[in-house]
Each structure stands twice: as C-alpha cells, then as structure tokens.
Amino acid sequence: MSLAIAGYFEPWWIQIVKALLIFGVALGILPLIIVYERKLLGRFQGRYGPNRVGPFGLLQPLAEIIKFATKEDVRPVTSVGPLFVLAPVISIITAVAAFALVPFGDAPHIFGTRVGLYGVDPSIGPLYVFAFGAIAFYGLMLGGWASGSKYSFLGAMRAAAQLISYEVSQGLALIGVIITAGSLSLTAIVHAQVGMWYFIPQFVGFLIFTIASFAETNRSPFDLVEADAELVAGYFTEYGGTRMVAFLFAEYLNMMVVSGIAVTLFLGGWLLPFGIHPPTWVDPFIVLAKMMVFISFFIWVRATLPRLRYDQLMSFGWKILLPLATANTLVTAIIVVAVHT
Amino acid sequence: MTWSPGEDQIAVQRAPAPGAAGGTYRAFGETLRGLKTTFARVVEGVHTIQYPEQKVPVYPRFRGRHKLHRFEDTGLEKCVGCSLCAAACPSDCIRVVAAENTPEHRVSAGERYAAVYEINISRCIFCGYCEVACPFDAITMGHDFEMSDYNRSDLIFTKEMLLAEPIESTPLRTEGE
C-alpha cells in the first residue's frame, strides 16, 4: 500500500531522464548562485565582488572547488569514522531529494506522453519537504557529534535547536496556504493561484515563512549555526576539503529548495500576473526567475542585518513567530469555513 | 526645579523601551530602513578602482621614483657629482662617485660628473630631500610608484635607469580633479 500518490504519468525511462535533468540543472545553477551572491553582496557594499577568474568572475566557484578538492582530507583522531563520512552525504541527499518537489511547470504532453515538469508531485507535498528537512538534521547532528570535538558538538546542538524551533513556524505558515488551496499537491496549489497569488491573502503567512526560511537555511541574520566571525564554523568545524564543500552545497541547495517552495506556494509558481499565458516551455524559466528574485532578497537581507544573539533568536522564534503563525492558521481556517458555509 | 533643555541643546532622541509590540514594530521598521540603506548602495554604484588596469591619478607634487635629468639642448647631464643629495639623504641610500670631465669625454655641464650614481630604492623613504638639496635640479622625484621586484639587488637603481624615461607612466591628476 502506498502512503501517497506520487503523481507520475510518464514511463520509467522518462522519469530517469527527468531526475538526471533536474539534478544537473540544480547542481549547475548552484555555482552560479554562489558567484551571484558574492557579486550582489559586493554591489551592496559598493564594490564589484569576484571578477578576475574567467569572464566577469564566473569561473570563481570552479577555482574554489579545485582548491577545495586538492586539500588534504583531514579527519580528527577522535572522530567516529563512518558517521563522519556519512554526515555530509546525508545533508546533500536530503537537499537534492527535497529539490525534486519544486514544480517547474505543469504536466504538458511531450513525445506523446504527459511529462510533469517536476521531480515528483506527491499528494502530501509540503509534508515531503519537512520530512526531508527533518532527516537533514541527522546530517548536521551526526556531523557535529562524529567529529569528536566539543566545539563541533556544541555547534550541532545550537544548529539543531535553531532548526527545530523555526521548522514549527515554517510548517504552520504553510498550513494557511494549504487550507486556502484545499490541496497538498504543489501543482494543485499553483493552479489554485490563477486568480490571485497567495502572498496577498496569506501575507502574514508569507512573512513568517520567509523569516523562518532564513533560520532554516542558516542564512543571515539567523546564521548563528556557523556565525563566521564568532564560531569557527559550528557543526562542521572539523570538516575540510570536499566534505565541507558538500555541506556548503547542501546549504545553498536548501536555499534553492526554500525559494522554490516559496515561489510555488506564495508567488504563483509558473503563473504570470495580468493573465499573460506564455507557451509551456517558458514555465521553468519563470519559476527559475522567481526563485532568483527570492534568492536576491536573501542576499539583500544578508547584506543588511546583523546577526541575532542566541537568546534573541529563541525568544523571537517561540514568542513571536510561533504565536503569529498559529493565529494566522486559525484566522485562515475560520475565514475559509465561513466562506464555504 | 526641573531641568529643561535650552534652544542650543540638542534633543536626545530616545528609542522606545523594548516591549513586545513596540519592540517588534521597532525592529520591523528599522529592518526596512536598513534594507533601504543597503539598496541605496546598489543604486549608488561601485567605488572600486580596478587597480592594475585603472590607476588613481597622482598629484603633481607626488613623490615617486627619482629621475635624473639632462639638458634638453645639449644632452649633457645636469648632475655634477657634488654628492649633496647623498649628504642630505636621511636613509643614506644614494651613492655618488664623481669623476672629472675631460674635453674628449664630456658628460655633464660642470667640471665633474657622476661616474656612479646609485639609489637603493629599497631603503629610500621618498622624503624628497635629495631634490631639495640639488643645486642644479638634476634629480627630481617622479610620479611612478610601482617599483616592487623579486630581488633586493634589482632595487638598486643605476644612473642609466634613473636617466631613462620610465616605461610605464602614472596618470597625473588634472586641474580641479
């Protein structure tokens, strides 16, 4: 018995091609996002950012990866070998798996069959994301614990506390959208936004989701998990070389996942405003463009806000964000019930 | 008697005491203000000078690498080997060895000329005292400042190097810039 309908129409070989394509596109865009972030961050500070390696500095991430890959693979004596190796793998697998959910378009007819322009469209949409988000904790906790260093362990505890606190608000913020749309399938939610994108009726939910996303993806102003200037690197203090790159990649991939979810649930997915209906092949680019806007906002906030103190982070999460998210859910539920009866 | 600030007193704007609602409102408003500030930097544009390609123009009196001069009409060296520059030099980086001019071998306009004229650039502090000390304006401070090298011995500039026009010239600040 399957727990959820996976939402597949296509034969198995198209599924494999699709999986490879989405994986390739995601990992191909990642370095660009990294260089984009650094360049945009530079602009916010009145400078250019990296512009020396390759045209416009576009090969900068490549140079960095070469540098990281040629580093010695150091492992502390006190570390727990297999788990130490496993941790970044878990992180990156969960991030990629969550990325499969982001719908880049509807399911048009290609080569005679219907092909969904997404990795998977389960009938439990957001739950799937949070499930993989929860597994991602293991990557982080194991990474911190298996390093065999007390600083890594403390970093992992901080990270876990932060992520669990904010995942509650993030999940509750989505419930408003789910109630309004009446479906958990992400494509159905996008279809429900034809009249109006959900960030207008669900503005509070959008705000909460955005703020919680900053915490979930360990971005400034909630980047206490790494806190470059204060801690060494939090839970991945003992990691170096390609393993650290895996953690960083997972982090940026999570940022893409979160922007993808935000675009799908609040910003109308592949829809355009004012009743413009472009051909189907444009849809993925619309989603990507919207994601880039969201990521730019992430970078903008990173360039602006200072880091919160740890107790401020906790009290903000539990005392302000969570009650607000709960109230948003309740009010939405009451309005939806009142309208439908 | 209560204290009241006079007109010359600058009013101290105090932030509201952080409370639940007030604090949240304040944090949100200040966040938006911060976002506006950073975005203004994007609009303002980039201030970076792309150094090796793009250089900051120097002022006319900028003291860079030394130059030795010749008379433009006769082509003779201005330096007469008097060693006043070496005497004035606080870091003792100039070495002058003078020799007599002969009718067959005339190098400078005076009686003597500098057979050896070396400046140890790695010790020079670019104070410009040599320029001040020179009675014939034979040595002046140029505008070039890119003199780094891989080898200390390469930083001892000989007379030929100092007499030659610098290969790469530094942009000069124009009037009013």
mmCIF file of all heavy atoms in Angstrom, chain B residues 39-80:
data_model
loop_
_atom_site.group_PDB
_atom_site.id
_atom_site.type_symbol
_atom_site.label_atom_id
_atom_site.label_comp_id
_atom_site.label_asym_id
_atom_site.label_seq_id
_atom_site.Cartn_x
_atom_site.Cartn_y
_atom_site.Cartn_z
ATOM 1 N N PHE B 39 20.137 49.027 -0.131
ATOM 2 C CA PHE B 39 19.749 49.090 -1.544
ATOM 3 C C PHE B 39 20.250 50.379 -2.176
ATOM 4 O O PHE B 39 20.596 50.401 -3.357
ATOM 5 C CB PHE B 39 18.236 48.973 -1.692
ATOM 6 C CG PHE B 39 17.814 48.675 -3.087
ATOM 7 C CD1 PHE B 39 18.022 47.406 -3.604
ATOM 8 C CD2 PHE B 39 17.248 49.637 -3.893
ATOM 9 C CE1 PHE B 39 17.672 47.123 -4.907
ATOM 10 C CE2 PHE B 39 16.890 49.353 -5.193
ATOM 11 C CZ PHE B 39 17.100 48.089 -5.697
ATOM 12 N N ALA B 40 20.293 51.445 -1.381
ATOM 13 C CA ALA B 40 20.808 52.711 -1.900
ATOM 14 C C ALA B 40 22.253 52.553 -2.370
ATOM 15 O O ALA B 40 22.687 53.220 -3.302
ATOM 16 C CB ALA B 40 20.712 53.784 -0.827
ATOM 17 N N ARG B 41 22.997 51.638 -1.754
ATOM 18 C CA ARG B 41 24.384 51.415 -2.166
ATOM 19 C C ARG B 41 24.438 50.778 -3.549
ATOM 20 O O ARG B 41 25.315 51.064 -4.345
ATOM 21 C CB ARG B 41 25.113 50.528 -1.162
ATOM 22 C CG ARG B 41 25.223 51.093 0.241
ATOM 23 C CD ARG B 41 26.222 52.230 0.319
ATOM 24 N NE ARG B 41 25.663 53.521 -0.037
ATOM 25 C CZ ARG B 41 24.825 54.206 0.739
ATOM 26 N NH1 ARG B 41 24.464 53.759 1.900
ATOM 27 N NH2 ARG B 41 24.359 55.366 0.337
ATOM 28 N N VAL B 42 23.465 49.905 -3.839
ATOM 29 C CA VAL B 42 23.422 49.301 -5.173
ATOM 30 C C VAL B 42 23.136 50.370 -6.214
ATOM 31 O O VAL B 42 23.770 50.426 -7.276
ATOM 32 C CB VAL B 42 22.349 48.195 -5.228
ATOM 33 C CG1 VAL B 42 22.278 47.592 -6.608
ATOM 34 C CG2 VAL B 42 22.628 47.126 -4.202
ATOM 35 N N VAL B 43 22.181 51.249 -5.888
ATOM 36 C CA VAL B 43 21.814 52.303 -6.828
ATOM 37 C C VAL B 43 22.992 53.246 -7.039
ATOM 38 O O VAL B 43 23.283 53.688 -8.145
ATOM 39 C CB VAL B 43 20.580 53.068 -6.291
ATOM 40 C CG1 VAL B 43 20.235 54.228 -7.196
ATOM 41 C CG2 VAL B 43 19.408 52.118 -6.144
ATOM 42 N N GLU B 44 23.697 53.525 -5.940
ATOM 43 C CA GLU B 44 24.814 54.461 -5.969
ATOM 44 C C GLU B 44 25.924 53.977 -6.899
ATOM 45 O O GLU B 44 26.596 54.767 -7.543
ATOM 46 C CB GLU B 44 25.350 54.586 -4.551
ATOM 47 C CG GLU B 44 26.215 55.758 -4.280
ATOM 48 C CD GLU B 44 26.593 55.774 -2.807
ATOM 49 O OE1 GLU B 44 25.777 56.205 -1.994
ATOM 50 O OE2 GLU B 44 27.693 55.310 -2.482
ATOM 51 N N GLY B 45 26.117 52.671 -6.965
ATOM 52 C CA GLY B 45 27.143 52.128 -7.849
ATOM 53 C C GLY B 45 28.419 51.791 -7.107
ATOM 54 O O GLY B 45 28.523 51.958 -5.893
ATOM 55 N N VAL B 46 29.390 51.355 -7.885
ATOM 56 C CA VAL B 46 30.607 50.769 -7.330
ATOM 57 C C VAL B 46 31.686 51.829 -7.197
ATOM 58 O O VAL B 46 31.816 52.693 -8.061
ATOM 59 C CB VAL B 46 31.073 49.626 -8.248
ATOM 60 C CG1 VAL B 46 32.368 49.051 -7.770
ATOM 61 C CG2 VAL B 46 30.018 48.551 -8.306
ATOM 62 N N HIS B 47 32.427 51.788 -6.127
ATOM 63 C CA HIS B 47 33.513 52.751 -5.924
ATOM 64 C C HIS B 47 34.891 52.155 -6.167
ATOM 65 O O HIS B 47 35.885 52.852 -6.062
ATOM 66 C CB HIS B 47 33.453 53.295 -4.492
ATOM 67 C CG HIS B 47 32.212 54.063 -4.217
ATOM 68 N ND1 HIS B 47 31.973 55.295 -4.760
ATOM 69 C CD2 HIS B 47 31.119 53.756 -3.504
ATOM 70 C CE1 HIS B 47 30.794 55.726 -4.364
ATOM 71 N NE2 HIS B 47 30.247 54.795 -3.604
ATOM 72 N N THR B 48 34.940 50.862 -6.425
ATOM 73 C CA THR B 48 36.224 50.197 -6.574
ATOM 74 C C THR B 48 37.006 50.756 -7.748
ATOM 75 O O THR B 48 36.432 51.044 -8.799
ATOM 76 C CB THR B 48 36.008 48.695 -6.801
ATOM 77 O OG1 THR B 48 35.073 48.223 -5.858
ATOM 78 C CG2 THR B 48 37.297 47.932 -6.680
ATOM 79 N N ILE B 49 38.314 50.914 -7.571
ATOM 80 C CA ILE B 49 39.192 51.229 -8.694
ATOM 81 C C ILE B 49 39.923 49.946 -9.036
ATOM 82 O O ILE B 49 40.590 49.362 -8.180
ATOM 83 C CB ILE B 49 40.144 52.377 -8.335
ATOM 84 C CG1 ILE B 49 39.347 53.670 -8.260
ATOM 85 C CG2 ILE B 49 41.243 52.501 -9.369
ATOM 86 C CD1 ILE B 49 40.047 54.766 -7.539
ATOM 87 N N GLN B 50 39.750 49.481 -10.245
ATOM 88 C CA GLN B 50 40.325 48.197 -10.660
ATOM 89 C C GLN B 50 41.816 48.401 -10.854
ATOM 90 O O GLN B 50 42.274 48.635 -11.958
ATOM 91 C CB GLN B 50 39.651 47.730 -11.949
ATOM 92 C CG GLN B 50 38.181 47.478 -11.780
ATOM 93 C CD GLN B 50 37.905 46.169 -11.105
ATOM 94 O OE1 GLN B 50 38.486 45.152 -11.462
ATOM 95 N NE2 GLN B 50 37.049 46.168 -10.120
ATOM 96 N N TYR B 51 42.590 48.266 -9.759
ATOM 97 C CA TYR B 51 43.914 48.847 -9.709
ATOM 98 C C TYR B 51 44.861 48.565 -10.883
ATOM 99 O O TYR B 51 45.208 49.500 -11.580
ATOM 100 C CB TYR B 51 44.607 48.574 -8.378
ATOM 101 C CG TYR B 51 46.080 48.839 -8.465
ATOM 102 C CD1 TYR B 51 46.511 50.124 -8.795
ATOM 103 C CD2 TYR B 51 46.997 47.841 -8.320
ATOM 104 C CE1 TYR B 51 47.854 50.388 -8.949
ATOM 105 C CE2 TYR B 51 48.330 48.111 -8.470
ATOM 106 C CZ TYR B 51 48.761 49.372 -8.794
ATOM 107 O OH TYR B 51 50.066 49.622 -8.957
ATOM 108 N N PRO B 52 45.239 47.344 -11.152
ATOM 109 C CA PRO B 52 46.317 47.280 -12.160
ATOM 110 C C PRO B 52 45.915 47.880 -13.497
ATOM 111 O O PRO B 52 46.740 48.441 -14.200
ATOM 112 C CB PRO B 52 46.588 45.785 -12.298
ATOM 113 C CG PRO B 52 45.983 45.148 -11.119
ATOM 114 C CD PRO B 52 44.851 46.010 -10.713
ATOM 115 N N GLU B 53 44.633 47.776 -13.845
ATOM 116 C CA GLU B 53 44.193 48.352 -15.115
ATOM 117 C C GLU B 53 43.903 49.843 -14.975
ATOM 118 O O GLU B 53 44.079 50.624 -15.898
ATOM 119 C CB GLU B 53 42.936 47.651 -15.613
ATOM 120 C CG GLU B 53 43.125 46.201 -16.016
ATOM 121 C CD GLU B 53 42.839 45.235 -14.892
ATOM 122 O OE1 GLU B 53 41.981 45.557 -14.052
ATOM 123 O OE2 GLU B 53 43.470 44.176 -14.829
ATOM 124 N N GLN B 54 43.400 50.183 -13.810
ATOM 125 C CA GLN B 54 42.888 51.529 -13.596
ATOM 126 C C GLN B 54 43.678 52.102 -12.427
ATOM 127 O O GLN B 54 43.792 51.453 -11.393
ATOM 128 C CB GLN B 54 41.430 51.366 -13.174
ATOM 129 C CG GLN B 54 40.482 52.404 -13.651
ATOM 130 C CD GLN B 54 39.098 52.089 -13.103
ATOM 131 O OE1 GLN B 54 38.800 50.961 -12.708
ATOM 132 N NE2 GLN B 54 38.259 53.068 -13.061
ATOM 133 N N LYS B 55 44.234 53.311 -12.623
ATOM 134 C CA LYS B 55 45.063 53.821 -11.532
ATOM 135 C C LYS B 55 44.512 55.116 -10.998
ATOM 136 O O LYS B 55 43.910 55.899 -11.732
ATOM 137 C CB LYS B 55 46.482 54.046 -12.044
ATOM 138 C CG LYS B 55 47.222 52.737 -12.226
ATOM 139 C CD LYS B 55 48.552 52.965 -12.845
ATOM 140 C CE LYS B 55 49.167 51.639 -13.223
ATOM 141 N NZ LYS B 55 50.299 51.822 -14.109
ATOM 142 N N VAL B 56 44.756 55.338 -9.742
ATOM 143 C CA VAL B 56 44.391 56.622 -9.156
ATOM 144 C C VAL B 56 45.398 57.647 -9.650
ATOM 145 O O VAL B 56 46.599 57.448 -9.482
ATOM 146 C CB VAL B 56 44.458 56.546 -7.620
ATOM 147 C CG1 VAL B 56 43.955 57.839 -7.015
ATOM 148 C CG2 VAL B 56 43.656 55.378 -7.121
ATOM 149 N N PRO B 57 44.951 58.728 -10.275
ATOM 150 C CA PRO B 57 45.919 59.728 -10.728
ATOM 151 C C PRO B 57 46.590 60.405 -9.538
ATOM 152 O O PRO B 57 45.967 60.628 -8.501
ATOM 153 C CB PRO B 57 45.074 60.720 -11.533
ATOM 154 C CG PRO B 57 43.668 60.437 -11.190
ATOM 155 C CD PRO B 57 43.590 59.044 -10.684
ATOM 156 N N VAL B 58 47.869 60.700 -9.703
ATOM 157 C CA VAL B 58 48.609 61.284 -8.590
ATOM 158 C C VAL B 58 48.634 62.799 -8.737
ATOM 159 O O VAL B 58 48.409 63.339 -9.814
ATOM 160 C CB VAL B 58 50.053 60.739 -8.523
ATOM 161 C CG1 VAL B 58 50.032 59.255 -8.267
ATOM 162 C CG2 VAL B 58 50.820 61.079 -9.767
ATOM 163 N N TYR B 59 48.932 63.467 -7.649
ATOM 164 C CA TYR B 59 49.053 64.930 -7.667
ATOM 165 C C TYR B 59 50.409 65.306 -8.268
ATOM 166 O O TYR B 59 51.357 64.506 -8.225
ATOM 167 C CB TYR B 59 48.937 65.481 -6.248
ATOM 168 C CG TYR B 59 47.537 65.458 -5.732
ATOM 169 C CD1 TYR B 59 47.077 64.403 -4.954
ATOM 170 C CD2 TYR B 59 46.652 66.490 -6.054
ATOM 171 C CE1 TYR B 59 45.772 64.380 -4.493
ATOM 172 C CE2 TYR B 59 45.353 66.474 -5.599
ATOM 173 C CZ TYR B 59 44.911 65.426 -4.818
ATOM 174 O OH TYR B 59 43.632 65.400 -4.377
ATOM 175 N N PRO B 60 50.514 66.520 -8.808
ATOM 176 C CA PRO B 60 51.783 66.906 -9.439
ATOM 177 C C PRO B 60 52.970 66.837 -8.487
ATOM 178 O O PRO B 60 54.084 66.531 -8.908
ATOM 179 C CB PRO B 60 51.534 68.351 -9.889
ATOM 180 C CG PRO B 60 50.068 68.487 -9.974
ATOM 181 C CD PRO B 60 49.480 67.530 -9.003
ATOM 182 N N ARG B 61 52.731 67.072 -7.199
ATOM 183 C CA ARG B 61 53.864 67.089 -6.267
ATOM 184 C C ARG B 61 54.074 65.742 -5.610
ATOM 185 O O ARG B 61 54.830 65.629 -4.657
ATOM 186 C CB ARG B 61 53.655 68.182 -5.212
ATOM 187 C CG ARG B 61 53.810 69.574 -5.791
ATOM 188 C CD ARG B 61 53.519 70.626 -4.773
ATOM 189 N NE ARG B 61 54.458 70.578 -3.648
ATOM 190 C CZ ARG B 61 54.366 71.359 -2.590
ATOM 191 N NH1 ARG B 61 53.386 72.241 -2.524
ATOM 192 N NH2 ARG B 61 55.226 71.260 -1.605
ATOM 193 N N PHE B 62 53.379 64.705 -6.116
ATOM 194 C CA PHE B 62 53.551 63.355 -5.581
ATOM 195 C C PHE B 62 55.012 62.927 -5.718
ATOM 196 O O PHE B 62 55.635 63.156 -6.756
ATOM 197 C CB PHE B 62 52.650 62.393 -6.364
ATOM 198 C CG PHE B 62 52.749 60.969 -5.915
ATOM 199 C CD1 PHE B 62 51.983 60.503 -4.860
ATOM 200 C CD2 PHE B 62 53.595 60.074 -6.561
ATOM 201 C CE1 PHE B 62 52.064 59.198 -4.453
ATOM 202 C CE2 PHE B 62 53.687 58.768 -6.155
ATOM 203 C CZ PHE B 62 52.919 58.328 -5.087
ATOM 204 N N ARG B 63 55.560 62.355 -4.655
ATOM 205 C CA ARG B 63 56.969 61.956 -4.678
ATOM 206 C C ARG B 63 57.074 60.467 -4.961
ATOM 207 O O ARG B 63 56.846 59.644 -4.079
ATOM 208 C CB ARG B 63 57.633 62.292 -3.346
ATOM 209 C CG ARG B 63 57.665 63.770 -3.061
ATOM 210 C CD ARG B 63 58.605 64.086 -1.937
ATOM 211 N NE ARG B 63 58.249 63.383 -0.718
ATOM 212 C CZ ARG B 63 57.503 63.911 0.243
ATOM 213 N NH1 ARG B 63 57.026 65.132 0.093
ATOM 214 N NH2 ARG B 63 57.236 63.222 1.322
ATOM 215 N N GLY B 64 57.410 60.151 -6.198
ATOM 216 C CA GLY B 64 57.586 58.757 -6.582
ATOM 217 C C GLY B 64 59.037 58.474 -6.914
ATOM 218 O O GLY B 64 59.944 59.045 -6.317
ATOM 219 N N ARG B 65 59.235 57.613 -7.896
ATOM 220 C CA ARG B 65 60.586 57.211 -8.260
ATOM 221 C C ARG B 65 61.414 58.383 -8.757
ATOM 222 O O ARG B 65 60.918 59.252 -9.492
ATOM 223 C CB ARG B 65 60.500 56.157 -9.381
ATOM 224 C CG ARG B 65 61.668 55.242 -9.448
ATOM 225 C CD ARG B 65 61.735 54.578 -10.792
ATOM 226 N NE ARG B 65 62.463 55.416 -11.722
ATOM 227 C CZ ARG B 65 62.849 55.009 -12.922
ATOM 228 N NH1 ARG B 65 62.520 53.816 -13.339
ATOM 229 N NH2 ARG B 65 63.531 55.801 -13.706
ATOM 230 N N HIS B 66 62.671 58.420 -8.408
ATOM 231 C CA HIS B 66 63.554 59.540 -8.785
ATOM 232 C C HIS B 66 63.819 59.544 -10.286
ATOM 233 O O HIS B 66 63.772 58.520 -10.932
ATOM 234 C CB HIS B 66 64.900 59.431 -8.073
ATOM 235 C CG HIS B 66 64.780 59.157 -6.617
ATOM 236 N ND1 HIS B 66 64.959 60.124 -5.667
ATOM 237 C CD2 HIS B 66 64.479 58.034 -5.965
ATOM 238 C CE1 HIS B 66 64.781 59.600 -4.484
ATOM 239 N NE2 HIS B 66 64.492 58.321 -4.637
ATOM 240 N N LYS B 67 64.118 60.743 -10.773
ATOM 241 C CA LYS B 67 64.556 60.882 -12.160
ATOM 242 C C LYS B 67 65.815 61.734 -12.163
ATOM 243 O O LYS B 67 65.918 62.704 -11.411
ATOM 244 C CB LYS B 67 63.501 61.648 -12.973
ATOM 245 C CG LYS B 67 62.346 60.818 -13.459
ATOM 246 C CD LYS B 67 61.506 61.735 -14.354
ATOM 247 C CE LYS B 67 60.065 61.315 -14.372
ATOM 248 N NZ LYS B 67 59.229 62.422 -14.851
ATOM 249 N N LEU B 68 66.750 61.366 -13.026
ATOM 250 C CA LEU B 68 67.896 62.248 -13.273
ATOM 251 C C LEU B 68 67.637 62.930 -14.601
ATOM 252 O O LEU B 68 67.011 62.352 -15.499
ATOM 253 C CB LEU B 68 69.196 61.446 -13.327
ATOM 254 C CG LEU B 68 69.755 60.973 -11.977
ATOM 255 C CD1 LEU B 68 70.997 60.141 -12.204
ATOM 256 C CD2 LEU B 68 70.089 62.164 -11.093
ATOM 257 N N HIS B 69 68.106 64.178 -14.722
ATOM 258 C CA HIS B 69 67.756 64.942 -15.915
ATOM 259 C C HIS B 69 68.985 65.316 -16.729
ATOM 260 O O HIS B 69 70.092 65.426 -16.208
ATOM 261 C CB HIS B 69 67.006 66.216 -15.520
ATOM 262 C CG HIS B 69 65.691 65.923 -14.882
ATOM 263 N ND1 HIS B 69 64.569 65.680 -15.607
ATOM 264 C CD2 HIS B 69 65.342 65.784 -13.581
ATOM 265 C CE1 HIS B 69 63.579 65.415 -14.780
ATOM 266 N NE2 HIS B 69 64.025 65.478 -13.544
ATOM 267 N N ARG B 70 68.728 65.556 -18.019
ATOM 268 C CA ARG B 70 69.751 66.072 -18.922
ATOM 269 C C ARG B 70 69.309 67.452 -19.387
ATOM 270 O O ARG B 70 68.129 67.794 -19.310
ATOM 271 C CB ARG B 70 69.844 65.195 -20.175
ATOM 272 C CG ARG B 70 70.385 63.811 -19.955
ATOM 273 C CD ARG B 70 70.227 63.037 -21.254
ATOM 274 N NE ARG B 70 70.456 61.626 -21.070
ATOM 275 C CZ ARG B 70 71.654 61.051 -21.121
ATOM 276 N NH1 ARG B 70 72.735 61.782 -21.334
ATOM 277 N NH2 ARG B 70 71.755 59.758 -20.955
ATOM 278 N N PHE B 71 70.256 68.227 -19.876
ATOM 279 C CA PHE B 71 69.889 69.467 -20.541
ATOM 280 C C PHE B 71 69.244 69.110 -21.856
ATOM 281 O O PHE B 71 69.750 68.265 -22.600
ATOM 282 C CB PHE B 71 71.130 70.346 -20.772
ATOM 283 C CG PHE B 71 71.609 71.001 -19.516
ATOM 284 C CD1 PHE B 71 72.770 70.571 -18.882
ATOM 285 C CD2 PHE B 71 70.887 72.056 -18.968
ATOM 286 C CE1 PHE B 71 73.199 71.171 -17.726
ATOM 287 C CE2 PHE B 71 71.328 72.654 -17.809
ATOM 288 C CZ PHE B 71 72.478 72.220 -17.182
ATOM 289 N N GLU B 72 68.144 69.790 -22.147
ATOM 290 C CA GLU B 72 67.420 69.384 -23.348
ATOM 291 C C GLU B 72 68.158 69.783 -24.620
ATOM 292 O O GLU B 72 68.078 69.097 -25.636
ATOM 293 C CB GLU B 72 66.023 70.000 -23.343
ATOM 294 C CG GLU B 72 65.061 69.155 -22.512
ATOM 295 C CD GLU B 72 63.721 69.818 -22.326
ATOM 296 O OE1 GLU B 72 63.412 70.749 -23.090
ATOM 297 O OE2 GLU B 72 63.003 69.391 -21.420
ATOM 298 N N ASP B 73 68.875 70.935 -24.584
ATOM 299 C CA ASP B 73 69.542 71.387 -25.810
ATOM 300 C C ASP B 73 70.831 70.626 -26.092
ATOM 301 O O ASP B 73 71.036 70.147 -27.202
ATOM 302 C CB ASP B 73 69.801 72.914 -25.746
ATOM 303 C CG ASP B 73 70.351 73.341 -24.387
ATOM 304 O OD1 ASP B 73 70.390 72.470 -23.478
ATOM 305 O OD2 ASP B 73 70.732 74.505 -24.235
ATOM 306 N N THR B 74 71.681 70.489 -25.066
ATOM 307 C CA THR B 74 72.983 69.867 -25.315
ATOM 308 C C THR B 74 72.991 68.379 -25.063
ATOM 309 O O THR B 74 73.873 67.668 -25.548
ATOM 310 C CB THR B 74 74.052 70.515 -24.422
ATOM 311 O OG1 THR B 74 73.609 70.397 -23.065
ATOM 312 C CG2 THR B 74 74.263 71.958 -24.759
ATOM 313 N N GLY B 75 72.027 67.880 -24.303
ATOM 314 C CA GLY B 75 72.013 66.457 -23.979
ATOM 315 C C GLY B 75 72.977 66.080 -22.879
ATOM 316 O O GLY B 75 73.151 64.901 -22.590
ATOM 317 N N LEU B 76 73.615 67.069 -22.251
ATOM 318 C CA LEU B 76 74.549 66.778 -21.161
ATOM 319 C C LEU B 76 73.789 66.561 -19.864
ATOM 320 O O LEU B 76 72.710 67.131 -19.664
ATOM 321 C CB LEU B 76 75.526 67.947 -20.981
ATOM 322 C CG LEU B 76 76.495 68.173 -22.127
ATOM 323 C CD1 LEU B 76 77.270 69.466 -21.902
ATOM 324 C CD2 LEU B 76 77.445 66.993 -22.252
ATOM 325 N N GLU B 77 74.365 65.753 -18.996
ATOM 326 C CA GLU B 77 73.716 65.507 -17.707
ATOM 327 C C GLU B 77 73.794 66.748 -16.832
ATOM 328 O O GLU B 77 74.796 67.458 -16.827
ATOM 329 C CB GLU B 77 74.408 64.342 -16.998
ATOM 330 C CG GLU B 77 74.049 63.009 -17.595
ATOM 331 C CD GLU B 77 74.938 61.908 -17.063
ATOM 332 O OE1 GLU B 77 75.516 62.090 -15.978
ATOM 333 O OE2 GLU B 77 75.049 60.881 -17.740
ATOM 334 N N LYS B 78 72.713 66.956 -16.057
ATOM 335 C CA LYS B 78 72.713 68.101 -15.153
ATOM 336 C C LYS B 78 73.552 67.826 -13.913
ATOM 337 O O LYS B 78 74.089 68.724 -13.280
ATOM 338 C CB LYS B 78 71.278 68.438 -14.735
ATOM 339 C CG LYS B 78 70.476 69.123 -15.831
ATOM 340 C CD LYS B 78 69.110 69.540 -15.295
ATOM 341 C CE LYS B 78 68.315 70.286 -16.349
ATOM 342 N NZ LYS B 78 66.976 70.635 -15.846
ATOM 343 N N CYS B 79 73.639 66.559 -13.546
ATOM 344 C CA CYS B 79 74.329 66.204 -12.313
ATOM 345 C C CYS B 79 75.831 66.433 -12.450
ATOM 346 O O CYS B 79 76.437 66.008 -13.426
ATOM 347 C CB CYS B 79 74.069 64.739 -11.978
ATOM 348 S SG CYS B 79 74.913 64.192 -10.477
ATOM 349 N N VAL B 80 76.399 67.122 -11.436
ATOM 350 C CA VAL B 80 77.831 67.395 -11.487
ATOM 351 C C VAL B 80 78.577 66.565 -10.450
ATOM 352 O O VAL B 80 79.756 66.818 -10.173
ATOM 353 C CB VAL B 80 78.129 68.899 -11.279
ATOM 354 C CG1 VAL B 80 77.560 69.695 -12.432
ATOM 355 C CG2 VAL B 80 77.580 69.380 -9.944
#
